Amino acid sequence: MTTTPTTATRTDGGAVFMNGNALRDEILAELKAKIDAEGNPEICLATVLVGDDKPSQIYVKSKGKKALEAGLQSRHVGLPGDIAQADLEAEVQALVDDPTVHGILVQLPLPDGLDAEPVLDLLPPEKDVDGLNERSMGRLVRGKAGHVPCTPRGVMRLLERYGIETSGKKAVVIGRSTLVGLPQVLLLGRKGADATVTLAHSRTADLVETCKDADIIIGAAGIAHLIKAEHVKEGATVIDVGVSRTADGIVGDVDFDAVQAKAAAITPMPGGTGPMTIACLMENTYDAYHMINGTTPA
Ligand code: GUN
C-alpha cells in the first residue's frame, strides 16, 4: 500500500485533498511510457455516442483526447438519436468484428427508445472496457479476469494512492447503479480490499445513522449535496461520485465545504473521481490489447 503523498495538499479544514486530475495525469504518463517501451503498438479505443446530449458529447470528446495523451489511438462513431435499435447494434457489431479495435465504449445513457442491454451484450469481455455487460459483471462477481467498471476502479486507485486503509474498515456505498454502486461494493469487499461494506440507497431509512460510523463513505446516488457534516465521522474518507445538474451548476453528492472540516480525506467535485474514470478507461483499453493478443503488459 502506498502512503499519502508528502506533496498532498489539504483543504481549509485540514483534510487531504484527493486530487483526481493529478493522479489521472500520472496514470496516463505511466501508460504512455509502457506503450513506448513496447514499441508503440496501435491500441485503439472506439467510442460510440448516440444523439446530441451536450454533457455526453463533452465526456466522449475528453475520452478521445486523453486516449491520445496516453499513446492510444481513438476512433469515434457518432450516430443520430433516432437511429433504429437494429442499426445501432449493427454499428457496434462492426466494431466487435474489427481486429484493429481493442476497446469499445458505448456512452450511456442512450436516448429514449433505445435499449442499452442488447447493445452492451454484443461486446466480448475482452473489448468491454467499460466492464458493464453481464459477462464482465459476472466475471467480477466470480473473481475471474476481466475489465472492472472504470469509475469504481478509479475510486480504488484513489484510495490506494492516498494510502487509505480499507482492510477491516467500515465502508458505506450510497447508490446501487450497475455503473458505480454495485461494482464498488464488490471491489471494496473482495479479498485484498477486505472492507466491511454497507450498500445504502434512496430508500435507506436513516442515512445519517447508516453513515455516521463509517470509515469510508462513497456518494454515488446522484442527489445534490446529500452527504452533510452530520453523516460523517471525524477522520473519515469521503469520496464523491455523484453528478447533479442544478440551477447553481454541476454539484456532487457531497456538501464539500461542510464535510471537509470533519473528513481526513476528501475528493473535490469536479476534479476527483471524474478524471479517474477516464484514466481507468485507458488502463482497461491497454489491458484489452494484451488480453486479445494473449501477451503480457510491460
Ligand atoms: N455515462 C456516464 N459515465 C459513464 C461510463 O463510465 N461509461 C459509459 N459507457 N457511459 C457513462
Side-chain angles (χ1 to χ4, degrees), residues 211-266:
C211 292
K212 74 180 188 0
D213 295 328
D215 302 297
I216 299 167
I217 299 175
I218 306 202
I223 302 174
H225 288 179
L226 171 69
I227 302 162
K228 312 249 183 237
E230 58 185 342
H231 294 82
V232 177
K233 179 174 83 170
E234 200 77 47
T237 295
V238 182
I239 305 228
D240 196 350
V241 182
V243 180
S244 300
R245 284 163 229 293
T246 70
D248 298 332
I250 296 179
V251 299
D253 279 11
V254 177
D255 184 347
F256 182 92
D257 291 341
V259 168
Q260 58 85 27
K262 280 179 102 178
I266 188 166

Side-chain angles (χ1 to χ4, degrees), residues 105-108 130 179 277:
L105 174 133
V106 180
Q107 185 69 23
L108 301 174
D130 243 351
L179 209 55
T277 298

Side-chain angles (χ1 to χ4, degrees), residues 25-292:
D25 290 347
E26 278 177 30
I27 289 173
L28 296 186
E30 274 166 24
L31 263 184
K32 180 147 187 9
K34 282 193 210 173
I35 294 168
D36 279 349
E38 290 171 35
N40 289 305
E42 295 208 344
I43 305 176
C44 179
L45 168 67
T47 54
V48 179
L49 176 62
V50 186
D52 51 12
D53 178 60
K54 271 274 167 292
S56 293
Q57 281 176 343
I58 293 167
Y59 290 141
V60 168
K61 198 166 168 203
S62 168
K63 286 167 184 170
K65 188 164 160 260
K66 294 296 169 188
L68 298 184
E69 273 180 46
L72 303 165
Q73 318 280 312
S74 120
R75 186 183 310 174
H76 179 63
V77 179
L79 300 169
D82 62 356
I83 191 170
Q85 179 82 26
D87 293 338
L88 169 58
E89 289 177 23
E91 292 280 352
V92 172
Q93 187 62 49
L95 296 171
V96 170
D97 295 338
D98 185 338
T100 67
V101 170
H102 302 94
I104 302 169
L105 174 133
V106 180
Q107 185 69 23
L108 301 174
L110 293 176
D112 287 348
L114 290 168
D115 185 357
E117 213 56 31
V119 177
L120 296 181
D121 282 342
L122 292 170
L123 308 180
E126 296 74 20
K127 290 195 179 188
D128 180 21
V129 285
D130 243 351
L132 290 181
N133 72 18
E134 63 183 41
R135 291 165 76 192
S136 298
M137 287 280 177
R139 287 184 177 210
L140 179 58
V141 171
R142 310 271 325 163
K144 291 184 175 178
H147 298 298
V148 171
C150 304
T151 303
R153 181 175 175 177
V155 169
M156 299 309 288
R157 297 284 253 124
L158 274 169
L159 291 171
E160 272 165 34
R161 179 70 176 85
Y162 283 92
I164 310 290
E165 184 62 78
T166 54
S167 180
K169 301 296 179 188
K170 284 187 191 165
V172 175
V173 177
I174 309 167
R176 52 188 160 182
S177 66
T178 46
L179 209 55
V180 186
L182 292 177
Q184 191 74 68
V185 166
L186 294 169
L187 290 176
L188 282 163
R190 75 179 177 179
K191 267 203 190 323
D194 300 316
T196 302
V197 193
T198 300
L199 175 58
H201 45 74
S202 55
R203 301 216 169 178
T204 294
D206 188 341
L207 192 61
V208 172
E209 188 58 32
T210 303
C211 292
K212 74 180 188 0
D213 295 328
D215 302 297
I216 299 167
I217 299 175
I218 306 202
I223 302 174
H225 288 179
L226 171 69
I227 302 162
K228 312 249 183 237
E230 58 185 342
H231 294 82
V232 177
K233 179 174 83 170
E234 200 77 47
T237 295
V238 182
I239 305 228
D240 196 350
V241 182
V243 180
S244 300
R245 284 163 229 293
T246 70
D248 298 332
I250 296 179
V251 299
D253 279 11
V254 177
D255 184 347
F256 182 92
D257 291 341
V259 168
Q260 58 85 27
K262 280 179 102 178
I266 188 166
T267 56
M269 221 309 276
T273 57
M276 293 305 299
T277 298
I278 295 188
C280 290
L281 175 66
M282 303 315 151
E283 288 194 317
N284 282 353
T285 305
Y286 171 79
D287 292 346
Y289 169 81
H290 284 291
M291 277 183 207
I292 289 166

